[in-house]
Amino acid sequence: MIGIDVLVLEGASASAVGTTVDVVSAANRIIGAPTFDLRFVSPESRVTLRGGLSATTHPLERAEPREIVIVPGLGAADAAEISERLAATDIELAGDWLTRAHSADIAASCTAVFVLAAIGLLDDRRCVTTWWLGGELAKRAPDARVLIEEMVVRDGRIWTAGSAFAHIDLMLALMRHFGGAALTDELANRLVVDQRTSQAGFLIPSHLAAHDETIAALESFVRSTLDQPHTLDSLAQWCNLSPRTLARRTTNAVGLSPLQLVQRIRLNRALHLLRTTTLPLGKISTAVGFADPATLHRLVKRHTGRSPGTLRPRTTQSNSQ
C-alpha cells in the first residue's frame, strides 16, 4: 500500500483538499483494492479550510512522512498574503516536518509551492506556481527555474503545479507515476477531466508585466507590433538595456524570457482571433507574427490541448461541418 499524506495548513484550498480525496478514492475503486492510503496531517489536530470547512488531522509530531506528501494551496491571493502566511507558526512547523521527508515525493500546488521555496526544496530545480505569481516565486527562489507556462512540473522527488484548479492535474500526474497510464486515463474519463499540460492559455502578460514599468512598456510595444520580427537584441535596444539585463528583468517580472514573452503575447492574440473571428488560420498567423500556420497550429494544440478549429465560434464550427 502507498501512503499519501496531505499536509493541510490553516486556510488551505478546500477544492484542492476535496480533489485529493476524490481522486484517491476513485483510484482505489478502479483498482478494486485499497492501494492508496490517505491521511491528513497538520501542526494542529483540526484545521479550518478556506470557506469555513474544517478537517481533522494527525498532528505532525506523531506522523512520520510516508511515500507521498501533498501540500494544497495556502489560500493566499498575492505576495503580501503569502508573506504573512509564510511567517506563521504552522508554516514553520510544516517546513521542519517536510525537511524530514527525505525519501518521499513531495507535491505542492498553487501558493503552497512557496512553502517548498521557503525551505530550499526548489533550489536548482524546475518548478511552477499559479501564473500571476511566477515572478514572485522567481524572486523568492532565485536558484530555482520557474516554468510559468507549465501546468505540472516534476523535478526529481519534487512536484509542483499551477493555479488552484491545477491541483487535479497534479493528482493525475501522481496517479500516472504511481499507478500507471491505464489508471490515470480511467480516472480522467470518470472524473470528466481533460489532462492539460499547460496553463499558458490563462496567462495575461499585461497583468504580469505591471510589476515592472519597463517590461510593461515592452509588453505594450510588442502587442502593437505583432506582425514585425523581434529578436532579443532588438527588444533590448528598444528598452535601452543590455540583452542580459532585459532577460533578468523579464524573468523577474513575468517568469518568462523576452522571446517567450513575445510568443505568449502573439499566442494570446491568436487565440482571441480564433475565438471571435472567422479569419483563416493563415491570416491569423501572419497578423500575429508567426512564420506559418503550422507553427501556430502546434502552439495552440500544445497550450490548450485542442486544435484551432475547435476554438472557433459555434457558428463557424457548424458551417465547417
Side-chain angles (χ1 to χ4, degrees):
M1 185 174 295
I2 299 173
I4 300 178
D5 289 334
V6 185
L7 178 53
V8 186
L9 298 167
E10 194 69 25
S13 167
S15 64
V17 173
T19 293
T20 302
V21 174
D22 286 345
V23 170
V24 172
S25 297
N28 283 334
R29 287 197 301 270
I30 291 170
I31 295 170
T35 303
F36 299 100
D37 181 52
L38 196 63
R39 178 178 71 171
F40 288 173
V41 297
S42 180
E44 302 293 335
S45 59
R46 192 166 188 82
V47 177
T48 301
L49 308 178
R50 188 172 61 204
L53 298 175
S54 62
T56 301
T57 66
H58 294 269
L60 291 182
E61 59 187 20
R62 300 200 301 270
E64 286 299 314
R66 300 189 295 173
E67 289 90 344
I68 305 171
V69 176
I70 298 171
V71 193
L74 300 178
D78 54 36
E81 290 184 8
I82 290 171
S83 295
E84 182 179 352
R85 285 297 292 121
L86 292 180
T89 302
D90 66 330
I91 300 292
E92 180 181 357
L93 294 172
D96 291 342
W97 185 81
L98 284 169
T99 59
R100 302 205 313 267
H102 301 295
S103 60
D105 277 60
I106 299 175
S109 63
C110 198
T111 48
V113 176
F114 286 82
V115 177
L116 307 191
I119 60 176
L121 289 181
L122 301 184
D123 291 352
D124 300 318
R125 294 185 187 274
R126 295 173 298 110
C127 59
V128 67
T129 186
T130 188
W131 61 264
W132 68 86
L133 291 171
E136 182 66 21
L137 182 61
K139 293 177 186 177
R140 292 176 181 264
D143 293 329
R145 182 186 174 196
V146 182
L147 306 175
I148 197 58
E149 293 196 356
E150 300 301 318
M151 192 72 74
V152 176
V153 174
R154 179 196 177 198
D155 193 321
R157 67 188 185 94
I158 304 299
W159 305 66
T160 53
S163 56
F165 287 105
H167 193 84
I168 193 165
D169 301 277
L170 177 63
M171 290 304 302
L172 290 176
L174 287 168
M175 290 296 106
R176 179 175 290 273
H177 180 71
F178 287 94
L183 170 64
T184 309
D185 291 343
E186 181 63 22
L187 277 169
N189 288 334
R190 291 200 183 190
L191 298 173
V192 196
V193 177
D194 291 329
Q195 296 182 53
R196 301 160 294 176
T197 60
S198 170
Q199 60 178 341
F202 306 101
L203 300 181
I204 305 175
S206 57
H207 173 91
L208 296 170
H211 300 292
D212 185 312
E213 290 184 0
T214 298
I215 304 308
L218 176 64
E219 188 272 342
S220 296
F221 167 70
V222 171
R223 191 178 295 279
S224 65
T225 56
L226 285 179
D227 60 342
Q228 299 179 21
H230 295 295
T231 66
L232 177 58
D233 287 339
S234 68
L235 295 173
Q237 184 176 6
W238 188 89
C239 294
N240 197 28
L241 297 172
S242 70
R244 186 171 183 176
T245 299
L246 177 61
R248 176 176 54 80
R249 293 273 291 270
T250 56
T251 297
N252 288 339
V254 301
L256 303 170
S257 72
L259 294 182
Q260 285 175 328
L261 176 61
V262 171
Q263 185 182 83
R264 177 94 295 278
I265 296 169
R266 284 175 168 157
L267 180 59
N268 269 5
R269 180 58 179 167
L271 290 172
H272 174 75
L273 292 174
L274 282 168
R275 289 169 173 145
T276 60
T277 76
T278 59
L279 287 173
L281 189 64
K283 287 191 175 181
I284 293 177
S285 179
T286 300
V288 301
F290 285 118
D292 58 78
T295 299
L296 177 57
H297 189 285
R298 285 195 300 272
L299 285 170
V300 170
K301 182 71 174 178
R302 174 188 170 193
H303 292 297
T304 69
R306 299 167 61 183
S307 63
T310 64
L311 300 175
R312 291 295 196 178
R314 187 179 301 273
T315 54
T316 303
Q317 294 184 43
S318 298
N319 291 339
S320 64
Q321 291 178 353

